[in-house]
Amino acid sequence: MDFPILNSPEYKGYFLRLDPKEEILSLFKSDGDFIKSVKLEDLVSLLLESNGSTRRKNLRTSLSLKIKYQSAPGNWEESITGTLGTGGLFIETPVPLEKGSDVAIKFNLPDTPLQLIEAKGKVVWTRNQFEKVLHFPGMGIEFSDISNEQKSAIRNMITAINKSRGIELTQEQS
């Protein structure tokens, strides 16, 4: 299915092609030259992530922390987070693990640097390339095993950071 771009002066004549079977959206120039494709699941994740009105069930904030993660026994990698939430985090990496992969995670919170947070999680989504300038490649991890004490420490820190940024909690997040 092709969708011409008609009203955007900068891209008038370009068109989008939707492949419903592969769930891929591709952009083409007016002469038919291919520009770029995106998986629909990645597009939906990006739209939900960037939409300030989206209500998430878990509290989160943008935060860069050093993190260690392990996908296989003895194979620890180091990276940084892009976001951290009570339900999981985003790890920036040029080579994300496969969706569904199990990971062990270790990191320290800036407000309690001597308290090591150790959790287990699962890769629930990936971004395999840069999106615009600020969205690094990486993987979204959902916590599958984290103590209530550690989750509470994450919640308290995020609440303080978000409050200092003027971001209010929704009822679902509290």
Side-chain angles (χ1 to χ4, degrees):
M1 269 184 265
D2 288 352
F3 301 93
I5 299 174
L6 304 172
N7 297 319
S8 175
E10 187 175 352
Y11 302 107
K12 189 171 185 171
Y14 285 43
F15 64 94
L16 295 166
R17 178 169 292 152
L18 176 63
D19 179 338
K21 183 177 179 185
E22 298 296 322
E23 293 188 334
I24 294 176
L25 184 65
S26 301
L27 178 64
F28 293 85
K29 290 183 180 178
S30 55
D31 62 5
D33 283 349
F34 170 78
I35 298 174
K36 190 172 184 176
S37 291
V38 63
K39 290 189 234 174
L40 291 183
E41 71 178 314
D42 293 338
L43 178 60
V44 170
S45 293
L46 178 65
L47 292 171
L48 291 175
E49 182 178 300
S50 64
N51 181 353
S53 66
T54 299
R55 292 187 178 243
R56 295 178 171 269
K57 71 178 185 179
N58 292 300
L59 182 63
R60 75 178 206 145
T61 195
S62 296
L63 186 64
S64 294
L65 298 172
K66 279 187 170 182
I67 188 166
K68 290 184 179 183
Y69 65 96
Q70 181 183 42
S71 59
N75 187 23
W76 285 95
E77 302 284 339
E78 290 189 7
S79 191
I80 61 171
T81 62
T83 58
L84 175 65
T86 55
L89 48 82
F90 181 80
I91 298 174
E92 295 178 356
T93 175
V95 186
L97 300 171
E98 296 271 328
K99 189 175 174 181
S101 298
D102 292 319
V103 293
I105 303 161
K106 295 180 183 180
F107 61 95
N108 300 87
L109 297 173
D111 61 340
T112 55
L114 300 178
Q115 178 184 351
L116 182 66
I117 302 288
E118 294 184 83
K120 292 182 181 168
K122 187 174 286 293
V123 177
V124 293
W125 68 277
T126 62
R127 181 184 304 127
N128 294 309
Q129 58 193 17
F130 281 90
E131 296 290 337
K132 302 221 180 209
V133 178
L134 298 175
H135 297 286
F136 289 88
M139 54 193 169
I141 308 294
E142 182 177 51
F143 293 135
S144 58
D145 184 15
I146 186 168
S147 74
N148 288 335
E149 180 182 287
Q150 291 177 329
K151 202 173 205 178
S152 179
I154 292 170
R155 178 180 289 109
N156 292 340
M157 189 207 55
I158 292 172
T159 299
I161 289 171
N162 284 349
K163 186 175 182 182
S164 73
R165 294 176 179 169
I167 299 170
E168 298 296 321
L169 292 177
T170 66
Q171 190 68 9
E172 298 160 341
Q173 295 172 333
S174 54

